[in-house]
Amino acid sequence: MTTPRVWFPAIRCGSGADVFTERLCAALNAQGIRAEITWLPHRAEYAPWSVPVPKPPAWANVVHINSWLPQRFVPPGLPIVVTVHSSVHDPALLPYKSRLQALYHKHWIHPIEAANLARAHCVVAVSHYTAAQIEASFGIRDIQVIHNGIDCQAFTPIARTAPNRPFRLLYVGNWSARKGVDLLGPIMERLGNGFLLQYTADRNGAHTRFRLPPNSACLGRLSGKDLVRAYQEADALLFPSRLEGLPLVPLEAMACGLPVIAAKTSSLPEVVEDGVTGVLCPQDDVAAFAAQIGRLAENPAAWCAMRQTARQRATSRFDERVMVHRYREIYGAVMD
């Protein structure tokens, strides 16, 4: 059987999709599967005519793309695997879009995605929720679901027997309305001095536009070992996001033994087992978030149990090796 050799033409836009592509490419190479990314500038998304078309490497026999890649950059004559990371056509996203964004998604992104999905030899969604949204928006039925994976050897817990005092919450991610960051301040105000929120800075500085109480502290931009250490030293991940394709941050946090306090919405129930690896709260319910965090802080035994089950769920469901194995199967299938 021919060994797959995978080319990723990808637009660098500073999102989780970039991280996904980098990690998948690196993991494939680590397993002896030749893979390479050709990064295109962000303007390739909205002004593709301004960016030269890269040629696929002569050795490549599979092309793996994000569903947003303009057709200009999708080479003919090679099998195409398309991964859909989230659906911007989801009606639940509409309240968090500007009018300009809504028009852009409808009249520019939708036709691009439709063309890629029609051309694909295999369509992959990162969650069952995302697969359902793609089916609703495009009428595509034969969608494979492969959950995002993380390196559970890099993201690993440290020995802890009790939570910090004050109880330490962590928020990691960009600062947009979709992420529910406007809820962070009200939640921390309700919790008071017995709790501390540490948070990462937005890549564009958007975190500075939100008012946070004194029991909040910015960690700056974190990556690598510094990010792992922040997970390890926190007591719970606070993740009030309103809409997710399948987020990497809760997976990383659980692998580091963090219970996840998240909203019960979109794909998050596929990540967090409510009451076992964390807690799912009603969307936008500040009182519920604060109450659940308070209960966890007051019950060290429950906290310890959630740490263990969070780690177990990450390693059994979301280990990067599982994701890579599934993609290798798909690459082999589209080459037949």
Side-chain angles (χ1 to χ4, degrees):
M1 186 175 73
T2 304
T3 300
R5 299 182 295 276
V6 189
W7 182 48
F8 296 88
I11 296 171
R12 190 181 288 283
C13 56
S15 69
D18 293 6
V19 177
F20 164 88
T21 304
E22 290 170 344
R23 290 180 179 176
L24 178 56
C25 184
L28 288 167
N29 278 298
Q31 293 190 12
I33 302 297
R34 188 171 184 180
E36 182 179 296
I37 307 169
T38 296
W39 286 111
L40 305 171
H42 195 185
R43 73 176 189 277
E45 176 189 306
Y46 52 83
W49 54 86
S50 71
V51 177
V53 178
K55 292 183 179 179
W59 49 261
N61 55 18
V62 177
V63 179
H64 191 159
I65 65 171
N66 184 330
S67 60
W68 283 37
L69 188 71
Q71 285 287 291
R72 172 181 172 86
F73 305 114
V74 183
L78 288 170
I80 305 295
V81 175
V82 177
T83 293
V84 185
H85 293 278
S86 63
S87 175
V88 294
H89 316 295
D90 185 342
L93 184 59
L94 196 57
Y96 312 108
K97 295 183 188 182
S98 68
R99 179 170 175 77
L100 185 60
Q101 285 175 318
L103 291 171
Y104 178 69
H105 291 157
K106 179 178 181 180
H107 297 291
W108 183 252
I109 296 301
H110 191 280
I112 288 173
E113 288 194 291
N116 283 330
L117 296 174
R119 185 172 173 182
H121 293 72
C122 183
V123 177
V124 179
V126 297
S127 65
H128 294 283
Y129 178 84
T130 299
Q133 293 304 316
I134 293 303
E135 182 177 342
S137 297
F138 297 96
I140 304 292
R141 293 185 178 276
D142 188 17
I143 302 173
Q144 300 290 318
V145 174
I146 302 178
H147 287 139
N148 288 332
I150 48 105
D151 184 349
C152 291
Q153 303 305 311
F155 292 95
T156 186
I158 58 174
R160 302 267 311 272
T161 57
N164 294 291
R165 291 291 180 263
F167 191 84
R168 188 181 302 176
L169 297 158
L170 178 67
Y171 174 77
V172 174
N174 293 322
W175 287 65
S176 66
R178 179 179 64 83
K179 292 287 187 180
V181 290
D182 53 295
L183 305 175
L184 296 175
I187 291 170
M188 295 312 297
E189 285 179 346
R190 186 176 284 262
L191 287 170
N193 293 332
F195 297 84
L196 171 67
L197 172 67
Q198 294 184 318
Y199 59 91
T200 57
D202 183 270
R203 66 176 181 267
N204 297 316
H207 63 287
T208 60
R209 298 199 293 267
F210 292 83
R211 189 184 70 83
L212 295 171
N215 59 345
S216 308
C218 183
L219 298 174
R221 297 285 292 166
L222 299 180
S223 61
K225 292 182 179 179
D226 292 333
L227 177 59
V228 173
R229 188 176 303 111
Y231 285 131
Q232 291 171 337
E233 295 177 352
D235 298 316
L237 181 76
L238 178 53
F239 200 76
S241 183
R242 297 173 169 115
L243 189 64
E244 294 288 341
L246 194 96
L248 293 172
V249 167
L251 309 186
E252 295 169 351
M254 290 195 305
C256 291
L258 272 189
V260 177
I261 314 299
K264 189 176 184 178
T265 183
S266 63
S267 66
L268 290 168
E270 296 179 49
V271 176
V272 180
E273 189 174 358
D274 191 20
V276 179
T277 66
V279 181
L280 294 173
C281 301
Q283 181 179 317
D284 297 336
D285 192 333
V286 170
F289 272 96
Q292 293 291 354
I293 293 167
R295 292 188 189 102
L296 187 60
E298 293 169 1
N299 193 335
W303 175 80
C304 283
M306 279 191 179
R307 278 178 55 80
Q308 294 175 1
T309 53
R311 171 68 181 176
Q312 290 166 2
R313 185 170 177 83
T315 56
S316 64
R317 298 282 188 94
F318 304 110
D319 190 287
E320 188 174 74
R321 290 170 295 186
V322 176
M323 176 187 73
V324 174
H325 176 73
R326 291 287 311 283
Y327 274 112
R328 287 186 63 171
E329 289 182 331
I330 284 174
Y331 298 148
V334 300
M335 290 167 53
D336 289 344

